[in-house]
Amino acid sequence: MTMNSEVRHESTLLRRELGDVLREYRQRQGRTLREVSSDARVSLGYLSEVERGQKEASSELLDSICRALNVPLSHVLRLVADRVDRSEGRIPPMMRRSQMPVRIPDSVPESLVAAELAAMHR
């Protein structure tokens, strides 16, 4: 496999996963493509193509869609990254069963750290 075909495959996968995440948010909110496209100030057809993974959304457009959906861009990107990890087999099989990816926190909550420190000093 050449480098170009690998890049093309990853881009296609990323577009599709991004579109799936955006569509899931929109549908969970019970909103139509027309409503979100109007709020995001993007054509209905273009938003539809983004959701179907047929078009690459620019960072500005993606930000606008996320604002229209009232979801942080960073959250959407994390979910997309989790889905790509899962499709590449980087998440253990027991976690693959659920529809939505399981996020493993990258930090320990302060309350847990405080409780552990308090227990150590007793």
Side-chain angles (χ1 to χ4, degrees):
M1 181 180 265
T2 67
M3 183 69 146
N4 287 341
S5 61
E6 286 177 24
V7 170
R8 226 176 301 127
H9 175 348
E10 290 173 11
S11 296
T12 301
L13 178 63
L14 184 61
R15 277 196 315 261
R16 187 183 43 191
E17 296 297 347
L18 179 60
D20 287 349
V21 168
L22 293 173
R23 184 183 321 101
E24 287 172 13
Y25 270 109
R26 179 181 59 77
Q27 290 175 340
R28 275 196 213 134
Q29 295 174 11
R31 298 179 67 196
T32 65
L33 274 168
R34 186 173 308 282
E35 291 168 338
V36 175
S37 68
S38 175
D39 290 349
R41 297 184 182 180
V42 61
S43 76
L44 186 144
Y46 197 82
L47 179 58
S48 175
E49 288 177 317
V50 168
E51 282 192 1
R52 287 181 282 140
Q54 295 176 336
K55 293 284 184 183
E56 294 266 356
S58 68
S59 57
E60 292 85 1
L61 178 63
L62 186 54
D63 181 61
S64 182
I65 295 168
C66 288
R67 286 177 189 271
L69 291 169
N70 196 29
V71 60
L73 174 61
S74 59
H75 188 71
V76 169
L77 294 176
R78 268 189 220 100
L79 287 174
V80 170
D82 285 349
R83 291 172 70 120
V84 171
D85 274 347
R86 199 168 59 181
S87 73
E88 293 175 344
R90 295 183 189 195
I91 294 180
M94 66 185 155
M95 297 174 105
R96 291 187 201 143
R97 292 185 197 133
S98 65
Q99 290 291 340
M100 291 301 289
V102 176
R103 288 287 304 149
I104 299 171
D106 56 359
S107 62
V108 178
E110 287 295 321
S111 59
L112 183 57
V113 171
E116 287 295 316
L117 287 173
M120 288 172 49
H121 294 291
R122 286 187 200 158

